Amino acid sequence: MPTPELGTAELTLTGRITTASNATFLGSIGDVVVVYKPIAGETPLWDFPHGTLAHREVAAYLVSQAFGWDIVPHTWLRDGPMGEGMVQLWQDQDPAQNAVDLVATDHVPETGWKHVLEGRDGNGRMVTLVHEDSPALRRMAVFDTVVNNADRKGDHILAMPDGQRHGVDHGLTFHRDHKLRTVLWGWLGDPLTAEEREGIDRVSEGLHGELGRNLADLLSAEEIASLAARCARLRLAGRFPAPSGEMPAVPWPLF
């Protein structure tokens, strides 16, 4: 949880992220740079209860902590200039790194990358969506499956200078129905590693303790039960899932 200062000290807005679909601001709490998404600025959605996206972002952070993989940056609820909202520590990603990319189909790297899909760009040229084949990104794909992430775009993956990969924008998570939409399909059908299985086990066990108690303030009982069921199914299958259902397998736009 945030320190008392981050939870109560003045949050000053310094800018707005205009590419976001919901009201999203840059701000500072003392010398700490943060992202602030007020609940009042959330766009109503047909399939998610209104006014719950900030809570889902915090829930995603708590599950990330239970996994022990530092996927989601420190995220919490607090009051701000536009009322209560989600606040998250800002991350300075490495602009020279891309964990997900669109490349010309005839120039797809032979090693170190996973192929997701092909299509044509605005000029009619064949392009391929690829993502890196790294343990950090595999862990994010496992995390997304468990939290039922309906919006894992390429730009929601922050490539950090030290090789860590942070995930952001987790408002569309934890729906009780299958909603998985992601650009991270490259390991489809691959067996989970021992580390990945152990991470799922930590989340499952946490749901019977502190994690479950904390999530009860953020999600419905049905959503928590669905989270537990996804953990059990993934653990039993022991491998990365394939797309299923009538939902599109990837978000749009891809980035």
Side-chain angles (χ1 to χ4, degrees):
M1 300 303 290
T3 65
E5 293 76 16
L6 291 179
T8 60
E10 183 179 5
L11 195 170
T12 302
L13 301 188
T14 57
R16 181 165 184 173
I17 301 175
T18 58
T19 55
S21 56
N22 297 291
T24 304
F25 300 90
L26 284 176
S28 62
I29 305 173
D31 295 331
V32 179
V33 181
V34 298
V35 175
Y36 165 57
K37 297 182 182 180
I39 293 173
E42 293 179 4
T43 301
L45 300 169
W46 69 270
D47 54 347
F48 281 82
H50 184 51
T52 67
L53 304 191
H55 294 78
R56 296 172 193 279
E57 295 241 30
V58 177
Y61 167 70
L62 295 178
V63 172
S64 169
Q65 289 296 99
F67 268 115
W69 296 338
D70 191 29
I71 292 172
V72 182
H74 196 156
T75 309
W76 64 100
L77 286 173
R78 61 155 288 169
D79 285 332
M82 297 179 63
E84 186 178 52
M86 180 281 286
V87 177
Q88 185 175 82
L89 295 184
W90 174 260
Q91 305 296 311
D92 287 317
Q93 61 181 318
D94 184 352
Q97 296 188 48
N98 289 311
V100 182
D101 206 356
L102 275 175
V103 299
T105 298
D106 55 358
H107 285 83
V108 174
E110 293 184 5
T111 60
W113 293 82
K114 290 290 189 177
H115 172 284
V116 179
L117 57 82
E118 293 180 354
R120 294 187 182 275
D121 66 12
N123 296 314
R125 295 171 296 197
M126 290 299 299
V127 293
T128 300
L129 178 68
V130 298
H131 62 68
E132 66 181 20
D133 184 10
S134 68
L137 214 57
R138 278 181 62 110
R139 291 191 292 267
M140 188 179 297
V142 172
F143 167 82
D144 283 342
T145 301
V146 166
V147 303
N148 200 18
N149 192 351
D151 196 33
R152 177 60 74 201
K153 294 181 172 70
D155 285 346
H156 295 174
I157 300 168
L158 308 184
M160 307 307 291
D162 62 358
Q164 174 67 356
R165 298 316 186 225
H166 286 309
V168 297
D169 288 311
H170 295 111
L172 302 188
T173 48
F174 298 106
H175 201 286
R176 64 182 185 180
D177 299 328
H178 175 74
K179 294 280 186 180
L180 185 60
R181 289 192 296 261
T182 175
V183 295
L184 302 180
W185 287 113
W187 300 284
L188 189 155
D190 285 3
L192 299 172
T193 66
E195 179 192 14
E196 291 157 356
R197 295 194 301 270
E198 290 165 2
I200 298 167
D201 290 343
R202 286 191 292 272
V203 174
S204 294
E205 293 165 5
L207 290 175
H208 298 289
E210 183 178 6
L211 175 63
R213 291 191 294 272
N214 290 333
L215 290 179
D217 295 329
L218 302 166
L219 304 172
S220 71
E222 272 190 324
E223 289 166 340
I224 295 174
S226 294
L227 167 61
R230 286 191 298 274
C231 288
R233 285 197 301 269
L234 184 58
R235 190 65 172 84
L236 180 63
R239 60 186 63 250
F240 284 88
S244 62
E246 298 180 357
M247 295 290 296
V250 296
W252 188 260
L254 297 172
F255 292 86

